[in-house]
Amino acid sequence: MDGLANTVQQVFNEPACGKNQGKSDKERKKGCTKALQPGAAAGGCAFDGAKIALQPITDVAHLVHGPIACEGNSWDNRGAKSSGPLLYRTGFTTDINETDVVFGGEKRLFRAIKEILAKYDPPAVFVYQTCVTALIGDDIEALCKAASARFGRPVIPVNAPGFVGSKNLGNKLAGEALLEYVIGTQEPEYTTPYDINIIGEYNLAGELWQVKPLLAELGIRVLACISGDARYREVASAHRARAAMMVCSKAMINVARKMEERYAIPFFEGSFYGVSDMSEALREIARLLIARGAPADLAERAEALIAREEARAWTRLDAYRPRLKGKRALLITGGVKSWSVVAALQEIGVEIVGTSVKKSTKEDKERIKKIMGDEAHMIEDMTPREMYKLLKDARADIMLSGGRSQFVALKAKVPWLDINQERHHAYAGYDGMVALVGEIDKALYNPIWAQVRRPAPWDTETVS
């Protein structure tokens, strides 16, 4: 546990994380003091955060060392897509029982690794520590080292038991596992001056595929996406990229910062949501690559592509402007979406009545202020009762949130659109922006709302 405690402390001291640096030395030493809600393992704990950060690596086996409920709570809770291997969608767990709790579960874990390698032959096995196996003292780092030597295949320990802290901390601990055991362990077949890494992009509903064709048109190759639609070899050879883009609210800021320190790979934080932000991301990628030796005409080609794609997107969006102008939206999400989706919606005239910042960093909040002004309504926390009242008072025409809040909107008879990881529509890039606006339009003008808001017959009939 000393190694885990040291790793957690390193993450809390991450110099590139503004949220951590905003704390005092005493607060950082305390670590994560956020109390987890009983029964809220899905979407709340460090194990869950580590699993969702790494599970999009599609060709490896993800083995959860713990009770079967841990795997059940974390399996497939994101819509990360794969263009090839599907092994990541197979749930593996050691399913430890009471006997293992008494005598230890390491032998069971070793047998599970052996069985997975024999049956599925993956390029690597990721082993996730959970609360129970950490508390009984199973040393997964030593066991994974022994298994790697025995079977001649990378077996990667992901030491992020749920009790150490929040989901965001688990994201970073997953990044630490990649930095220590994966990145830099293999070499790419070839390199180009146009190789980049995208960090914190999980290819939800296929969003990475809305961006890659644009990059490919400029000759830019995504050497590794960490971790959406990734292969183990790509992540292992990510240290040869020339530049990197950090996407998701600094979920893996430690990966971006340490890769810059170790391998001199510069990075920036950007967003693929919205027309303007997508264009800025392309410009910044081109700028960093040129600074690292790519031909200078890359900037001109990028501007030509941006001009073409923006014109095409605005032509398609113009049809929605009169229908959406003045509509009010309540945004209950977090991280990068707390500001990037705000900017995207404002581009088409939608008014934002409030955006949640519960999971947002200091930088996220500063971006919201920059976009919405000092009068921006940033919601730190909102109970379902308060959310219902806000919607019922008709201060918002639509709510964009994750699935857990949908029933509040439905009870208030207000349209709702899924904006979080479970969604089935991809909203990245220029095409994604058009898709997002189209889905908002469909939700707002769905005729079902006129029917459900109509008084029930038994409330209007008079008794004779």
Side-chain angles (χ1 to χ4, degrees):
M1 293 294 288
D2 288 343
L4 175 61
N6 290 334
T7 303
V8 170
Q9 199 57 50
Q10 284 180 32
V11 169
F12 277 105
N13 285 325
E14 171 57 50
C17 178
K19 185 173 183 178
N20 288 342
Q21 295 311 309
K23 297 176 180 175
S24 66
D25 291 341
K26 185 178 179 181
E27 287 173 326
R28 283 204 296 275
K29 285 180 181 177
K30 282 183 179 178
C32 180
T33 56
K34 179 183 176 183
L36 301 177
Q37 294 295 318
C45 73
F47 156 69
D48 183 54
K51 185 81 183 300
I52 62 178
L54 299 180
Q55 188 157 2
I57 302 175
T58 59
D59 58 348
V60 308
H62 299 273
L63 171 59
V64 176
H65 184 41
I68 195 169
C70 291
E71 170 63 343
N73 282 341
S74 63
W75 184 84
D76 205 30
N77 64 355
R78 282 200 163 203
K81 302 291 186 183
S82 171
S83 59
L86 294 175
L87 186 59
Y88 76 119
R89 291 184 61 82
T90 299
F92 297 104
T93 174
T94 50
D95 184 22
I96 67 164
N97 55 36
E98 292 86 347
T99 304
D100 301 313
V101 170
V102 175
F103 296 104
E106 292 181 348
K107 290 183 179 178
R108 182 184 282 264
L109 174 58
F110 195 83
R111 289 196 300 270
I113 294 169
K114 181 180 180 181
E115 183 178 346
I116 288 171
L117 290 172
K119 284 187 177 179
Y120 298 94
D121 193 28
V125 179
F126 281 49
V127 176
Y128 297 83
Q129 184 71 289
T130 60
C131 294
V132 174
T133 49
L135 288 170
I136 65 176
D138 282 2
D139 188 346
I140 66 164
E141 289 169 344
L143 189 137
C144 288
K145 184 178 179 181
S148 295
R150 172 72 175 274
F151 302 119
R153 196 72 58 89
V155 181
I156 312 301
V158 184
N159 203 357
F163 60 75
V164 298
S166 66
K167 184 173 73 174
N168 186 254
L169 175 64
N171 296 154
K172 293 183 173 67
L173 292 177
E176 291 294 322
L178 294 181
L179 287 163
E180 185 168 356
Y181 298 103
V182 182
I183 295 171
T185 59
Q186 296 187 28
E187 293 295 331
E189 293 180 357
Y190 65 95
T191 59
T192 78
Y194 299 98
D195 291 344
I196 65 166
N197 293 329
I198 298 178
I199 301 171
E201 162 57 50
Y202 304 114
N203 196 32
L204 301 178
E207 289 186 337
L208 179 64
W209 302 334
Q210 292 177 315
V211 175
K212 282 184 84 172
L214 299 173
L215 297 172
E217 189 173 334
L218 296 172
I220 298 170
R221 179 174 68 151
V222 179
L223 185 63
C225 181
I226 303 175
S227 56
D229 195 20
R231 311 292 185 268
Y232 181 79
R233 182 178 179 80
E234 295 171 352
V235 180
S237 58
H239 61 298
R240 296 303 182 195
R242 311 288 290 181
M245 176 175 170
M246 179 78 227
V247 176
C248 184
S249 188
K250 303 193 175 182
M252 287 191 178
I253 185 65
N254 50 330
V255 175
R257 203 268 305 169
K258 288 186 176 178
M259 290 188 73
E260 183 176 42
E261 182 179 284
R262 294 180 186 178
Y263 309 113
I265 302 174
F267 74 94
F268 73 101
E269 184 178 11
S271 167
F272 292 137
Y273 296 120
V275 173
S276 299
D277 283 347
M278 180 66 217
S279 298
E280 282 306 308
L282 290 173
R283 288 190 182 100
E284 193 64 14
I285 290 171
R287 188 188 68 79
L288 286 182
L289 286 174
I290 292 170
R292 294 296 315 281
D297 72 332
L298 177 60
E300 296 175 11
R301 291 190 288 116
E303 288 299 333
L305 182 144
I306 288 168
R308 186 196 73 197
E309 290 296 322
E310 284 197 354
R312 180 170 163 266
W314 287 124
T315 299
R316 299 164 70 192
L317 289 169
D318 279 345
Y320 295 104
R321 282 184 186 279
R323 293 168 61 84
L324 300 185
K325 187 174 178 57
K327 296 294 184 184
R328 293 162 297 177
L330 174 63
L331 192 57
I332 304 293
T333 179
V336 67
K337 292 193 293 294
S338 62
W339 55 267
S340 59
V341 174
V342 168
L345 295 182
Q346 286 186 336
E347 283 183 326
I348 56 161
V350 174
E351 179 186 343
I352 307 298
V353 299
T355 181
S356 62
V357 292
K358 185 178 179 182
K359 301 176 184 175
S360 301
T361 64
K362 182 181 176 183
E363 287 80 3
D364 290 330
K365 295 175 184 177
E366 289 301 319
R367 286 174 185 265
I368 292 171
K369 284 183 180 177
K370 186 176 179 182
I371 296 168
M372 299 176 65
D374 293 335
E375 301 301 319
H377 184 196
M378 292 188 281
I379 304 163
E380 287 288 349
D381 199 6
M382 180 178 276
T383 65
R385 184 184 295 275
E386 293 169 334
M387 201 182 300
Y388 175 79
K389 186 175 186 309
L390 181 66
L391 295 171
K392 197 65 178 174
D393 292 344
R395 291 177 56 195
D397 298 300
I398 186 171
M399 183 169 82
L400 282 66
S401 73
R404 280 179 293 179
S405 304
Q406 66 176 303
F407 302 106
V408 178
L410 296 177
K411 188 175 180 180
K413 301 175 184 177
V414 169
W416 167 80
L417 186 66
D418 191 351
I419 197 71
N420 276 6
Q421 63 263 23
E422 305 92 351
R423 63 182 180 272
H424 298 286
H425 300 279
Y427 299 139
Y430 303 105
D431 289 343
M433 179 63 185
V434 177
L436 172 62
V437 171
E439 291 300 317
I440 292 174
D441 184 88
K442 280 193 283 187
L444 280 169
Y445 289 97
N446 192 316
I448 190 65
W449 299 114
Q451 296 185 40
V452 299
R453 289 166 180 162
R454 190 180 304 157
W458 52 85
D459 288 337
T460 57
E461 289 176 353
T462 55
V463 179
S464 59

